[in-house]
Amino acid sequence: MAKGYWIARVDVRDAERYKDYVAAAKPAFEKYGANFLARGGTFQKLEGQPRARNVVIEFPSLQAAIDCYNSPEYQVAAAIRQEVADAEMVVVEGV
Protein backbone atom coordinates (compact mmCIF):
# COMPACT_ATOMS: atom_id res chain seq x y z
CA MET A 1 0.00 0.00 0.00
CA ALA A 2 1.35 3.41 -0.99
CA LYS A 3 1.92 5.97 1.72
CA GLY A 4 0.14 9.32 1.79
CA TYR A 5 1.75 12.72 2.26
CA TRP A 6 0.55 16.12 3.33
CA ILE A 7 2.48 18.92 1.68
CA ALA A 8 1.82 22.29 3.27
CA ARG A 9 3.21 25.73 2.54
CA VAL A 10 2.45 28.23 5.29
CA ASP A 11 2.92 31.89 6.18
CA VAL A 12 2.30 32.31 9.90
CA ARG A 13 0.78 35.67 10.89
CA ASP A 14 0.70 35.08 14.67
CA ALA A 15 3.52 32.86 15.94
CA GLU A 16 2.18 32.66 19.49
CA ARG A 17 -1.27 31.45 18.42
CA TYR A 18 0.30 29.08 15.89
CA LYS A 19 1.67 27.19 18.89
CA ASP A 20 -1.98 26.56 19.85
CA TYR A 21 -2.53 25.00 16.42
CA VAL A 22 0.50 22.73 16.83
CA ALA A 23 -0.73 21.56 20.24
CA ALA A 24 -4.29 21.02 19.01
CA ALA A 25 -3.16 19.06 15.94
CA LYS A 26 -0.91 16.67 17.88
CA PRO A 27 -3.66 14.18 18.90
CA ALA A 28 -4.82 13.79 15.28
CA PHE A 29 -1.26 13.33 14.04
CA GLU A 30 -0.63 10.66 16.68
CA LYS A 31 -3.94 8.89 15.98
CA TYR A 32 -3.28 8.63 12.22
CA GLY A 33 0.42 7.73 12.35
CA ALA A 34 1.91 11.00 11.07
CA ASN A 35 5.66 11.12 10.56
CA PHE A 36 7.12 14.59 9.97
CA LEU A 37 9.72 14.57 7.20
CA ALA A 38 10.09 18.35 6.94
CA ARG A 39 8.77 20.92 9.40
CA GLY A 40 9.92 24.43 8.67
CA GLY A 41 13.65 24.77 8.35
CA THR A 42 15.89 26.29 5.73
CA PHE A 43 14.71 26.24 2.12
CA GLN A 44 15.81 27.58 -1.23
CA LYS A 45 13.33 29.14 -3.64
CA LEU A 46 13.59 27.56 -7.08
CA GLU A 47 10.39 28.67 -8.82
CA GLY A 48 7.13 30.39 -7.95
CA GLN A 49 6.12 32.30 -4.87
CA PRO A 50 7.57 30.75 -1.68
CA ARG A 51 6.02 30.70 1.76
CA ALA A 52 8.00 30.95 4.98
CA ARG A 53 7.19 27.49 6.36
CA ASN A 54 7.15 24.21 4.41
CA VAL A 55 5.91 20.95 5.90
CA VAL A 56 5.89 17.38 4.60
CA ILE A 57 4.08 14.77 6.68
CA GLU A 58 4.10 11.05 5.84
CA PHE A 59 1.14 8.82 6.71
CA PRO A 60 0.84 5.01 6.47
CA SER A 61 -1.59 5.39 3.54
CA LEU A 62 -3.32 7.98 1.39
CA GLN A 63 -6.57 7.19 3.21
CA ALA A 64 -4.94 7.78 6.62
CA ALA A 65 -3.71 11.18 5.38
CA ILE A 66 -7.19 12.13 4.20
CA ASP A 67 -8.86 10.76 7.33
CA CYS A 68 -6.48 12.74 9.54
CA TYR A 69 -7.34 15.99 7.79
CA ASN A 70 -11.08 15.31 7.98
CA SER A 71 -11.01 14.06 11.58
CA PRO A 72 -12.83 16.04 14.28
CA GLU A 73 -9.52 16.29 16.15
CA TYR A 74 -7.73 17.93 13.24
CA GLN A 75 -10.62 20.17 12.28
CA VAL A 76 -10.38 21.86 15.70
CA ALA A 77 -6.71 22.55 14.96
CA ALA A 78 -7.42 23.63 11.38
CA ALA A 79 -9.83 26.31 12.62
CA ILE A 80 -7.03 27.78 14.75
CA ARG A 81 -4.52 27.59 11.88
CA GLN A 82 -6.90 29.31 9.49
CA GLU A 83 -7.21 32.24 11.92
CA VAL A 84 -3.46 32.76 12.33
CA ALA A 85 -1.82 31.60 9.09
CA ASP A 86 -2.23 31.48 5.33
CA ALA A 87 -1.62 28.05 3.87
CA GLU A 88 -1.81 25.84 0.83
CA MET A 89 -2.14 22.14 1.54
CA VAL A 90 -2.40 19.07 -0.65
CA VAL A 91 -2.48 15.33 0.00
CA VAL A 92 -0.52 13.17 -2.42
CA GLU A 93 -0.09 9.44 -2.83
CA GLY A 94 3.43 8.10 -2.61
CA VAL A 95 5.05 5.75 -5.11
Side-chain angles (χ1 to χ4, degrees):
M1 176 184 321
K3 295 186 178 190
Y5 297 85
W6 283 16
I7 301 173
R9 300 172 54 242
V10 184
D11 285 330
V12 177
R13 295 188 312 271
D14 183 338
E16 285 305 308
R17 287 271 339 268
Y18 194 79
K19 292 176 186 177
D20 297 336
Y21 158 73
V22 171
K26 186 176 180 182
F29 291 146
E30 289 175 349
K31 180 177 180 179
Y32 290 94
N35 179 34
F36 285 82
L37 301 178
R39 195 177 203 173
T42 302
F43 68 93
Q44 178 67 49
K45 174 191 170 191
L46 299 176
E47 293 184 26
Q49 192 64 22
R51 291 201 181 258
R53 184 172 178 80
N54 301 283
V55 181
V56 179
I57 308 171
E58 179 183 70
F59 289 86
S61 67
L62 179 65
Q63 192 60 55
I66 293 167
D67 290 346
C68 181
Y69 182 84
N70 290 322
S71 71
E73 299 91 345
Y74 186 75
Q75 287 303 303
V76 168
I80 297 168
R81 178 183 43 76
Q82 291 163 357
E83 289 179 10
V84 302
D86 299 312
E88 294 148 355
M89 296 175 61
V90 296
V91 175
V92 297
E93 184 176 35
V95 293

